[in-house]
Every structure is written in C-alpha cells, then in structure tokens.
C-alpha cells in the first residue's frame, strides 16, 4: 500500500512537470481548502465540517494537459490534488496569482456538490420535463474563490467522471465588483456574469437568475428572472432592473439600481440556476454620503473681552453613521489648533435614512488664548470624506498701543495743541486790535 502511494505521488509530480512544460497559458496552480461535512457526528443546526489542504491545477483544454506549476506537493494529500479544465479561463484570472512574496493570498474552497431540483417558482420550469440522470451520475464539486484586493469573486460547479480527479467546469458565476461604494441618488451597477459549458447537455435547458438582499440577519428578494419562459417574478423591487438582452447573449446578470438609497446598503447575492445546479457570488454595497455642515450664528457677532460666545455646528444628510465632529481655530499666526471645550449630541435619523448630528462650542474669551480673533472651523471626519465649515471671529478691545503708536499719538496731540493755540492767538489778537481802534476813535 505504501509503495502504491509513493508511485501515485511520483506520477502526480511527473504529470505536474509535464503540464508545466507544455503550458502556453498563465493559469496558476491554486492552493485551496477541501471542505466537507463530517459524517455521523454532531446534532446541531450546523453540522461540523473538516478541512484538508488541496491543490488545483488549471488548464483551458482537456487535451492540452496545461497547468502551470512546479510547486511541490508538500503535505497535500494525493487525493486532494485536482486537474481542472476551465475552457472559459475564469480560474486563470491574474488576481488569483499574486506575485511571489505577497502577504495577501487568494481565498479558495472546494467542496462536494449535491445536484438537486429547486422548488422556487422561477427555477422549477427548468426541471419540469425531467432530465436524464445519466449525465448527473458523476462526481460533482463546487469551488468558491476570491481574488486579492477584492478584485474578483468566482463560484463554479464542476463535473468529474466517477473516481477521477479531473473535473470540468460546467457553470461559473463571477463578479468584478466584490465591494461597491456609491453616493446617494446615483445609479449603481452590481456586476454578475455567468458562463455555461456549451458542450454540456445542461446548456440548452434554460437558466434562471436571482438577486437577494441581506443585512443584519434580514433579507428580501430583489429580483428573479426565469430565462426559460422569459418572465420576471412578481416580487421585483422598484428601481431594480436587468439587461435582459445582455443576459441571454453574453451571460450578463448584473443588477442595476436606478437610484441609490441608504436602505440599499448591505449584501447582494447573485445566484444562477441550471437544471439541478446553482452557483452564487456575493457583492457588498455601501451607500456613503458625506455630511453637509452649517455654523450658527453666522457671521459671528463681535466679542468683547471676558464674553462667552456659544457656537453651533450641524452636520446633516450623511450615511453611514460613523463620524467625528471637532473644532479648530486659526489665529493671526496662521497655525490651526484644536479647541476642546465642545459637546456633541446624539444622532438623529431622517426620513430618507440619513443622519444628522450637532456640536456646541463655548468660546470663553477670558480663558482661551484667542488674541484679536481669527478663523473658526467646524470639522467633520466621515468615511465619505472630510468636510469643513468656516466663519470669522473678531474680539475687540484686547490690544494696548505699541511704543511707536504712543509716540505717534503724542505727536498728533502736540500738533493739535499747537494748532488750537495758533487759532486762539489769532482770534485774540484780532479782538484786541478792534478794541484799540474803538478807543482811538
């Protein structure tokens, strides 16, 4: 038994080297986890699972034996090494093959897949006629992969002849928008595409597409389409559409939300059905709207020494909830510094799901070093960006004259005094002259 295992390992290594030598593609060898439920154990709602290291060699043509890798099998069991044929080359995406030494690695899980019909009314027509079970009599697997930097999500269903390790991809569902951010009121595109092996008997039997929404344990059906009967489900959500023509011609199952609202934030699951098969990917959507700021009163009244001014800054219309409010003051020296004597109110939710929050600042001119005034700024730090609102502050009666100003004031006083004396002497002299003229007469 040991000799057979050794021979099998050597044959796998030789096959891997042969695939590398003959490969003209850039399909990576994928480190993966083989996940399956443990048989006969547990009794809870979620059955326990086991994980084993697995290795996937990818080729685009079953006859070319192309898989690019010379990596050693290390501690991977020979039973968990698979040679996958993917004619669409979905598994050859560059996000699944990061540069050597990269800290972030792609995520990959492969599991046994149980094919079965669905009772959903938009999926049930796919299996009404009853498909021959001969094609389904094989080993079926599903794989879920996610590329680095959240660039790509893939879900595949694969069929392998019984007791072999060479599955073929029958159905693949992908998304290039794993994580999406959008402003309020903007149209949103959640990418989802699918590919079906044209050589499979299932490819001509119709398909169905379903989009579901989940957020904090709650969910709802957004849209469902029966491609066999060309019919949308009656539960279609307002403002959510599909490109029906692109769906049939190119496998474009992307969801279009015509106007983003706060309630749209959450997880969207795109599921594509074939007879007895399904694959799905998840897309995260976050509606991010930065706040609008306003300062009251504006402009600020003139402040006297020892006076306290109460200033109010309101942030409104923002989402999500997380935000930090603060105050800054910039004096005559041009340097901004934070002001600590402020209070912040709780959040208030508006009718459209956005939030508002306020902060109050008590400006005590007798305790704060504010000089003659400057620029007062309300700052809001939010995931949608940092926003600022500014107003001017003026404080009167705080400065004493400099030596130069004092000397100038003395000079002006002397000039005025001399001018007054000159005018007085002029009028006095003219008055005495008139008196002498009267006496002489």
């Amino acid at each position: 038994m040991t000799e057979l295992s050794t021979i099998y390992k050597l044959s796998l290594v030789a096959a891997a080297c042969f695939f590398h030598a003959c490969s003209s593609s850039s399909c990576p060898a994928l480190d993966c986890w083989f996940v399956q439920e443990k048989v006969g154990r547990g009794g809870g709602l979620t059955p326990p699972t086991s994980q084993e290291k697995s290795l996937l060699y990818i080729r685009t043509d079953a006859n070319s034996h192309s898989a690019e890798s010379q990596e050693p099998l290390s501690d991977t069991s020979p039973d968990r090494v698979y040679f996958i044929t993917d004619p669409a080359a979905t598994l050859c995406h560059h996000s699944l093959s990061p540069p050597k030494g990269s800290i972030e690695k792609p995520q990959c899980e492969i599991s046994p897949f149980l094919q079965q019909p669905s009772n959903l009314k938009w999926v049930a027509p796919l299996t009404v006629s009853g498909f021959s079970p001969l094609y389904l009599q094989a080993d079926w697997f599903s794989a879920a992969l996610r590329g680095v930097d959240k660039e790509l999500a893939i879900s595949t269903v694969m069929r392998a002849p019984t007791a072999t390790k060479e599955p073929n991809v029958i159905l693949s569902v992908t998304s290039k928008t794993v994580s999406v951010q959008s402003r309020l009121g903007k149209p949103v595109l959640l990418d989802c595409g699918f590919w079906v092996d044209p050589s499979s008997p299932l490819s001509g039997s119709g398909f169905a597409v379903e989009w579901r929404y989940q957020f904090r344990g709650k969910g709802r059906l957004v849209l469902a389409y029966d491609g066999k009967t060309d019919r949308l489900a009656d539960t279609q959500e307002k403002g959510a559409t599909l490109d029906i023509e692109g769906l049939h011609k190119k496998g474009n199952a992307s969801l279009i939300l015509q106007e983003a609202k706060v309630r749209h934030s959450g997880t969207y699951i795109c599921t594509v059905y074939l007879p007895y098969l399904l694959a799905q990917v998840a897309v995260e959507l976050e509606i991010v709207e930065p706040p609008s700021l306003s300062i009251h009163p504006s402009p600020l009244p003139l402040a006297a020494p020892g006076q306290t001014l109460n200033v109010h800054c309101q942030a409104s219309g923002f989402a999500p909830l997380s935000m930090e409010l603060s105050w800054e003051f910039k004096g005559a020296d041009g340097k901004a510094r934070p002001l600590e004597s402020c209070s912040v109110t709780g959040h208030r939710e508006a009718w459209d799901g956005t939030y508002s929050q306020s902060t109050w600042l008590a400006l005590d001119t007798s305790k704060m070093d504010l000089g003659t005034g400057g620029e007062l700024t309300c700052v809001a730090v939010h995931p949608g960006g940092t926003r600022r609102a500014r107003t001017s502050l003026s404080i009167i009666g705080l400065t004493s004259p400099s030596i130069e100003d004092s000397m100038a004031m003395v000079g002006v006083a002397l000039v005025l005094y001399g001018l007054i004396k000159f005018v007085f002497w002029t009028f006095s002299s003219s008055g005495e002259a008139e008196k002498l003229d009267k006496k002489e007469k």
Side-chain angles (χ1 to χ4, degrees):
M1 189 69 180
T2 304
E3 292 179 357
L4 290 175
S5 177
T6 303
I7 294 173
Y8 184 44
K9 287 184 179 180
L10 291 174
S11 65
L12 286 175
V13 173
C17 294
F18 173 76
F19 289 151
H20 174 72
C22 298
S23 174
S24 59
S25 67
S26 58
C27 297
L30 301 176
D31 290 318
C32 209
W33 289 100
F34 184 87
V35 181
Q36 64 179 343
E37 296 180 4
K38 293 182 178 179
V39 181
R41 295 185 182 181
L45 296 177
T46 304
T49 59
S50 64
Q51 286 187 341
E52 299 177 70
K53 286 186 177 181
S54 180
L55 190 62
L56 312 183
Y57 290 109
I58 313 300
R59 56 193 180 188
T60 57
D61 184 355
N63 298 321
S64 68
H65 300 290
S66 60
E68 187 175 35
S69 177
Q70 292 191 46
E71 299 178 11
L73 296 177
S74 63
D75 56 347
T76 302
S77 169
D79 292 336
R80 295 293 172 245
V81 178
Y82 298 91
F83 298 93
I84 298 175
T85 301
D86 180 17
T90 304
L91 300 177
C92 299
H93 194 270
H94 64 85
S95 67
L96 300 177
S97 181
K100 291 186 177 181
S102 298
I103 297 177
E104 188 177 4
K105 303 293 183 182
Q107 301 174 19
C108 175
E109 286 187 1
I110 183 171
S111 307
F113 179 81
L114 177 62
Q115 67 278 8
Q116 56 186 355
S118 172
N119 294 325
L120 294 172
K121 59 182 180 181
W122 48 88
V123 184
L126 299 178
T127 53
V128 166
S129 59
F131 187 78
S132 172
L134 293 178
Y135 180 76
L136 300 178
Q137 292 178 4
D139 292 338
W140 290 84
F141 300 92
S142 66
L145 303 97
R146 179 163 293 195
V148 296
D149 298 327
K150 297 182 178 180
E151 190 175 345
L152 182 71
I154 304 174
S155 178
T156 65
V157 177
M158 300 173 287
R159 178 186 183 275
T162 304
T164 69
K165 302 299 178 183
E166 298 185 3
N168 298 318
V169 174
I170 305 301
L171 169 65
S172 62
V173 178
T174 62
S175 176
K176 299 176 183 178
T177 58
V178 179
S179 180
V180 181
Q181 284 191 349
S182 174
R183 296 282 298 271
L184 276 177
K186 302 294 184 180
V188 181
L189 175 68
L190 303 181
D191 178 71
C192 181
F194 71 96
W195 175 87
V196 181
D197 182 3
S199 66
S200 168
L202 300 178
S203 64
S205 303
F207 66 91
V209 174
E210 172 190 278
W211 278 95
R212 287 188 178 272
Y213 168 86
Q214 289 184 351
F215 185 67
R216 295 178 179 175
K218 297 181 179 180
R220 64 176 183 267
L221 178 66
V222 177
L223 184 147
Y225 174 73
D226 178 1
K228 186 174 183 178
T229 61
D230 190 24
R231 183 177 301 174
L232 285 167
D234 296 334
T235 53
Q236 181 184 11
E237 184 171 302
K238 184 178 179 181
T241 61
L242 291 173
D243 178 6
I244 302 299
E245 183 178 356
L247 184 63
H248 283 272
K249 290 184 176 180
K250 301 178 181 179
N252 179 12
S254 300
L255 178 68
I256 303 170
L257 301 176
Q258 296 177 351
E259 184 179 354
K261 302 180 185 298
V262 175
R263 66 181 180 86
H264 288 148
S265 289
T267 302
Y268 289 78
I269 301 174
C270 173
T271 306
V272 177
Y273 296 88
L274 296 182
Y276 302 97
L277 308 181
L278 69 88
Q280 59 185 204
V281 292
V283 179
E284 298 290 336
L285 173 61
E286 184 180 24
I287 305 302
V288 179
E289 186 67 20
S292 298
L293 298 182
S294 58
I295 296 179
H296 307 280
S298 184
L300 296 177
L302 293 174
Q307 183 181 359
T308 299
L309 287 179
N310 291 316
V311 190
H312 170 226
C313 177
Q314 182 174 7
S316 58
F318 63 90
L321 193 65
S322 59
M323 185 183 64
E324 294 182 3
L325 286 172
S326 61
W327 292 89
E328 291 178 354
F329 176 76
K330 183 187 294 184
D333 59 359
K335 296 181 180 179
R337 57 186 175 88
L339 299 177
E340 304 295 341
S341 57
C342 64
S343 60
V344 180
T345 65
H347 295 86
R348 296 180 297 277
E349 186 173 0
W351 63 271
D352 60 352
T354 61
Y355 298 94
S356 62
Q357 191 177 24
S358 299
T359 176
W360 292 85
L361 176 67
L363 283 172
D364 189 345
T365 57
S366 63
K367 296 181 180 179
M368 295 181 176
D369 182 16
L370 303 176
T372 58
E375 185 179 71
L376 186 64
T377 304
C378 175
V379 183
V381 180
H382 185 265
T386 300
R387 296 292 185 269
R388 287 179 167 84
R390 298 175 174 88
T391 189
S392 296
L393 172 66
S394 298
I395 302 175
I396 59 175
L398 279 179
T399 57
S400 57
S402 63
I403 296 177
E404 292 80 3
D405 293 339
S406 299
M407 293 178 65
M409 292 172 66
V410 170
V412 172
L414 290 174
V415 171
L416 290 175
Y417 177 75
L419 180 61
I420 293 171
K421 289 292 290 182
F422 173 76
V423 173
F424 177 77
W425 177 79
T426 302
F427 281 101
S428 298
S429 299
S430 61
E432 290 179 356
E434 289 179 359
K435 289 179 181 180
L436 288 175
D437 287 341
K438 287 180 180 181
K439 286 181 179 181
E440 288 177 357
K441 290 178 180 179

